[in-house]
Amino acid sequence: MNGVKLQGKILKVIAANEGLKASRLGEYIPSTELEAEERGKLIDKHESRQELMQKLAGDEKLPTFPVYESLITSEPSHCIYLANLFDLSLVDLEKEPTYFLEVREDVLAECSDCGEVEDIFVDQTSNGDVWVKFANKNVNAAKKAIEKLNGRLFGGQRVTANFTTESVYNEKTGTVTK
C-alpha cells in the first residue's frame, strides 16, 4: 500500500512498532497514552482491511493487491511461507544464472540455525515466494525461523514469514505425499 494515492494523498506505510502510535506530526507516542478503547485494536481479517480502505477511499476505486490469506495459517506448523524475498522484475538470469540457487542457499543457511530443514522450494515464477519445510515436523524450528525472518530485509526486500499448512506447502511445491 506504500505510495498508493488515496483521496489525493499519498499513503506512507512503515513497519509498526509495538507500543507506539503515530501522532499527527509524524512523531510517535507510547501506547500507554492511548485511550483504553484504542489499545489492542487490530484489523486481522482481509475483509475488515478492505472495508476500512474502501471507507477511507470514499468514491475512489481502490487498487487491487494479491491476497495471500489462503496460503497462510495462524496454526503453528512445521512448514513456512516466506514472501517478498526478491523482485522478479529485477532478476537478470543472464548476468546471474545461479540467482535462485543462491536464494535457496541463503534461506537454508538462515533456517538451519533454527532446526534441520527437510526441503526448500524457491518459486521462480513468483515475486519472491520461498517455501520451507522443517524435518521431523519440527514446529519450534519453524516458529524460530518466522521470528528470525519476518520483517527482515533480504536483498533490499522486506520479508514476510508465516506458517502454512503441509497441504498448501505440498500443493505449491508439487510434493506428492504417500
Side-chain angles (χ1 to χ4, degrees):
M1 301 284 317
N2 195 32
V4 171
K5 189 174 183 181
L6 192 61
Q7 289 191 331
K9 296 185 180 189
I10 304 295
L11 291 180
K12 181 176 182 185
V13 179
I14 60 172
N17 291 313
E18 189 173 332
L20 299 177
K21 179 182 177 184
S23 72
R24 289 184 169 227
L25 300 174
E27 299 170 356
Y28 288 93
I29 56 174
S31 63
T32 54
E33 294 178 24
L34 298 175
E35 297 298 322
E37 65 272 5
E38 288 182 330
R39 282 190 219 126
K41 284 187 178 177
L42 293 175
I43 300 173
D44 59 356
K45 299 285 184 215
H46 173 68
E47 294 80 18
S48 299
R49 286 191 299 271
Q50 289 293 92
E51 287 173 18
L52 174 62
M53 292 307 297
Q54 190 59 60
K55 203 180 275 188
L56 290 170
D59 294 331
E60 270 187 51
K61 182 166 171 42
L62 284 174
T64 57
F65 298 94
V67 178
Y68 297 103
E69 277 81 3
S70 64
L71 303 177
I72 64 175
T73 180
S74 59
E75 293 295 317
S77 167
H78 65 289
C79 299
I80 64 173
Y81 165 54
L82 305 173
N84 202 40
L85 265 78
F86 51 86
D87 183 343
L88 198 55
S89 68
L90 302 176
V91 177
D92 185 350
L93 291 175
E94 288 184 17
K95 291 181 182 174
E96 297 178 87
T98 61
Y99 180 82
F100 293 114
L101 179 60
E102 291 170 19
V103 169
R104 185 185 186 287
E105 289 171 352
D106 289 346
V107 171
L108 178 60
E110 293 296 325
C111 289
S112 292
D113 290 343
C114 303
E116 183 182 349
V117 174
E118 180 178 319
D119 187 40
I120 294 177
F121 175 73
V122 178
D123 186 347
Q124 298 179 19
T125 63
S126 72
N127 215 13
D129 295 349
V130 177
W131 304 83
V132 182
K133 181 189 279 188
F134 285 90
N136 305 312
K137 299 194 181 281
N138 190 340
V139 173
N140 287 330
K143 183 179 178 183
K144 287 178 191 175
I146 288 172
E147 289 169 358
K148 180 179 184 180
L149 297 172
N150 193 42
R152 189 164 161 194
L153 286 177
F154 185 89
Q157 301 286 110
R158 179 107 22 220
V159 176
T160 58
N162 290 284
F163 290 113
T164 190
T165 64
E166 188 169 16
S167 60
V168 169
Y169 176 91
N170 291 339
E171 176 188 329
K172 293 297 177 182
T173 64
T175 304
V176 179
T177 57
K178 297 175 186 175

